Amino acid sequence: MLDEVKVIELKQNVFKKNEVTADKVRDHLKNHKIYMINVMSSPGSGKTTTLVRTIKELQPEIRIGVLECDIDASVDAKTIVSAGARSIQLHTGGMCHMDAEMTQQGLDEMGIEDLDLIFIENIGNLVCPAEFDTGAHINISILSVPEGDDKPAKYPLMYEVSDIILINKIDAKAVFDFDDDKVVKDIHELNPKAKVFFLSSKTGEGFDTWTDWLKETVKEWKL
Amino acid sequence: MLDEVKVIELKQNVFKKNEVTADKVRDHLKNHKIYMINVMSSPGSGKTTTLVRTIKELQPEIRIGVLECDIDASVDAKTIVSAGARSIQLHTGGMCHMDAEMTQQGLDEMGIEDLDLIFIENIGNLVCPAEFDTGAHINISILSVPEGDDKPAKYPLMYEVSDIILINKIDAKAVFDFDDDKVVKDIHELNPKAKVFFLSSKTGEGFDTWTDWLKETVKEWKL
């Protein structure tokens, strides 16, 4: 009798709807030659600081918009607008992640005309955001040195779905035990194709490895 | 310019859909005189143990079904079936909470005929499940003594949405610093109407305060 317990996989049903919307969002942007990047991390890893420095290095050649997603605060969108990009603040009202429908709503409200590159700054959380396709063309996750090099082992899905991992706050390395080789090895075991960049969004150290890659990618996307 | 940052409240849009489905589920069960309870807690607080003892005390007079929700394991539904209730296992495939549509799918698969009482054993998590109306008639959260008496202060939403809080594992009180008065006070500050029962699902101590209330409630529901 115990072997006959019925098991229902809810995933397919619930996630399929989201994937259909995500593909629609992705194709629509592609048709307009706009590249969209979903940025994920724990709270405090430096998502906003990284975006601000990226915007300053890429504008005005590359025109940038940012969907700033937060449970209920509105400070990040103001910071992004100060840096010179277009931005709107999305309040998820307690939701722990963005999904494709929420992204669609954000894009409609922000307006995508005259943009080359859009960032989604996702909710600060290493679990739930990794589950949901936002409709972005690539996923980036930021791991800051003070968080520790064990994060890929502890949150494997986040690293499986991330195309690029930015190891941030390398200027703080002297005071933290952070094993670069171990973290790269752990990431590549989960996701052999992932690109890993080491940088400091505060000092700018190593930052051009990331922005060079990004400029090149956006240029190719426009062709 | 900074004051002009557009703020979009996604909550209304995303949660409204869920609420409509939740109300439909709730009304449908009410029409069939079936009472549904959503059970939430951290992992390891004793949701399954509490349900097993509850089932044993209530059956066969009250006929019980359990939607066992888990990321991907299937052990809990088997435990419930061994205890004599109907149960199916729902795999959320990584989702951190149940919503009303997932509940509806689970009820359709389990079948609700000949049941008086249905429990949803939600995903072990104090944040996300509290955000989503499952369609249950009441919410219960379990807080076990070893987790500490600071949980209502740290996870207020969970206690705002819970009609009943079961303080579990009171048999372990000798070895933990757990202030009953403080926890009741903190809960009632968030939710003055919440009922708090102190019990041990392992030893049975205090358990009849909970099951007496439940028997009475299900009886009234049938009238």
Side-chain angles (χ1 to χ4, degrees):
Chain A
M1 182 188 185
L2 291 193
D3 292 337
E4 288 164 28
V5 165
K6 209 186 216 180
V7 177
I8 311 298
E9 305 292 339
L10 294 172
K11 184 180 180 170
Q12 281 92 335
N13 174 293
V14 174
F15 284 68
K16 197 153 282 171
K17 256 201 223 169
N18 186 58
E19 279 163 27
V20 170
T21 310
D23 283 339
K24 231 164 60 182
V25 169
R26 209 165 7 247
D27 292 348
H28 181 73
L29 292 173
K30 175 74 182 157
N31 292 338
H32 288 72
K33 300 198 171 188
I34 301 168
Y35 194 61
M36 185 159 73
I37 300 178
N38 175 34
V39 184
M40 300 177 283
S41 82
S42 297
S45 300
K47 287 190 292 302
T48 311
T49 312
T50 302
L51 288 178
V52 164
R53 188 175 276 267
T54 303
I55 289 162
K56 287 183 176 165
E57 297 220 358
L58 267 59
Q59 294 228 115
E61 290 75 18
I62 296 173
R63 298 159 303 171
I64 299 173
V66 181
L67 298 182
E68 275 296 338
C69 312
D70 215 323
I71 307 276
D72 57 12
S74 302
V75 292
D76 290 342
K78 291 183 187 175
T79 309
I80 295 295
V81 169
S82 307
R86 191 184 307 168
S87 182
I88 63 168
Q89 185 77 48
L90 304 178
H91 284 175
T92 63
M95 286 271 281
C96 51
H97 65 270
M98 285 291 289
D99 65 19
E101 192 186 317
M102 294 156 85
T103 302
Q104 180 63 67
Q105 203 187 342
L107 294 175
D108 290 348
E109 296 281 355
M110 180 170 73
I112 60 169
E113 309 71 28
D114 310 323
L115 292 178
D116 304 305
L117 174 62
I118 294 169
F119 289 103
I120 301 169
E121 183 176 331
N122 214 314
I123 303 292
N125 177 321
L126 287 182
V127 180
C128 315
E131 301 291 341
F132 284 83
D133 191 338
T134 57
H137 299 103
I138 62 164
N139 291 321
I140 289 189
S141 65
I142 302 180
L143 166 58
S144 67
V145 166
E147 291 172 75
D149 54 21
D150 60 345
K151 290 298 160 293
K154 285 201 177 156
Y155 299 93
L157 186 64
M158 177 55 75
Y159 296 89
E160 283 166 22
V161 304
S162 292
D163 304 284
I164 292 184
I165 291 95
L166 304 182
I167 309 290
N168 191 22
K169 307 191 188 178
I170 57 168
D171 54 302
K173 254 174 150 176
V175 285
F176 294 97
D177 231 13
F178 190 95
D179 186 334
D180 290 0
D181 294 339
K182 173 187 154 51
V183 90
V184 171
K185 187 172 156 279
D186 286 355
I187 289 169
H188 283 151
E189 261 170 32
L190 293 162
N191 183 355
K193 286 186 191 164
K195 277 186 204 309
V196 185
F197 295 116
F198 288 80
L199 52 80
S200 167
S201 298
K202 189 173 141 200
T203 66
E205 189 184 347
F207 210 79
D208 54 355
T209 57
W210 149 242
T211 47
D212 285 352
W213 177 88
L214 184 56
K215 284 176 193 168
E216 193 57 34
T217 303
V218 174
K219 203 167 114 190
E220 281 171 20
W221 194 254
K222 289 284 178 192
L223 299 179
Chain B
M1 182 188 186
L2 291 193
D3 291 337
E4 290 164 28
V5 165
K6 210 185 217 179
V7 177
I8 311 299
E9 304 293 339
L10 294 172
K11 185 180 180 171
Q12 283 91 336
N13 174 293
V14 174
F15 285 68
K16 197 154 283 171
K17 255 201 224 168
N18 186 58
E19 280 162 26
V20 171
T21 309
D23 283 338
K24 232 165 60 184
V25 169
R26 209 164 9 247
D27 291 349
H28 180 72
L29 292 173
K30 176 71 182 159
N31 292 339
H32 288 73
K33 300 195 170 190
I34 302 168
Y35 195 60
M36 185 158 73
I37 300 178
N38 175 34
V39 184
M40 301 178 283
S41 82
S42 297
S45 301
K47 287 189 294 303
T48 310
T49 312
T50 302
L51 288 178
V52 165
R53 189 175 274 266
T54 303
I55 289 163
K56 288 183 176 165
E57 298 219 357
L58 268 57
Q59 295 230 115
E61 289 75 18
I62 296 174
R63 299 159 302 171
I64 299 174
V66 181
L67 298 182
E68 275 296 338
C69 312
D70 214 325
I71 305 276
D72 56 13
S74 303
V75 292
D76 290 343
K78 292 183 187 174
T79 308
I80 295 294
V81 169
S82 308
R86 192 184 306 168
S87 181
I88 62 166
Q89 185 76 48
L90 304 178
H91 284 175
T92 64
M95 285 271 281
C96 51
H97 64 271
M98 285 291 288
D99 65 20
E101 191 186 318
M102 293 155 86
T103 302
Q104 180 63 68
Q105 202 187 342
L107 295 175
D108 290 347
E109 297 281 355
M110 180 170 73
I112 60 169
E113 307 73 27
D114 311 322
L115 293 179
D116 304 305
L117 175 61
I118 294 170
F119 289 104
I120 300 169
E121 183 176 331
N122 214 314
I123 303 292
N125 177 323
L126 287 182
V127 181
C128 315
E131 301 290 342
F132 283 83
D133 190 338
T134 57
H137 298 103
I138 62 163
N139 291 322
I140 289 190
S141 65
I142 302 179
L143 166 59
S144 66
V145 165
E147 292 173 74
D149 55 21
D150 60 345
K151 290 297 161 295
K154 285 202 178 154
Y155 299 93
L157 186 64
M158 176 54 75
Y159 296 88
E160 283 167 22
V161 303
S162 293
D163 304 283
I164 291 185
I165 290 94
L166 303 182
I167 310 289
N168 191 21
K169 307 191 189 178
I170 58 168
D171 54 301
K173 255 174 148 177
V175 285
F176 294 97
D177 231 13
F178 190 94
D179 186 335
D180 290 0
D181 294 338
K182 172 188 154 51
V183 90
V184 171
K185 189 172 154 278
D186 286 356
I187 290 169
H188 283 150
E189 262 171 30
L190 293 163
N191 183 356
K193 288 185 191 164
K195 277 187 204 308
V196 185
F197 296 116
F198 287 80
L199 51 81
S200 166
S201 298
K202 187 172 142 202
T203 66
E205 188 184 347
F207 210 78
D208 54 355
T209 57
W210 148 244
T211 47
D212 286 352
W213 177 88
L214 183 57
K215 284 174 193 168
E216 194 55 36
T217 303
V218 174
K219 205 169 114 190
E220 280 171 20
W221 195 255
K222 289 282 179 193
L223 298 179

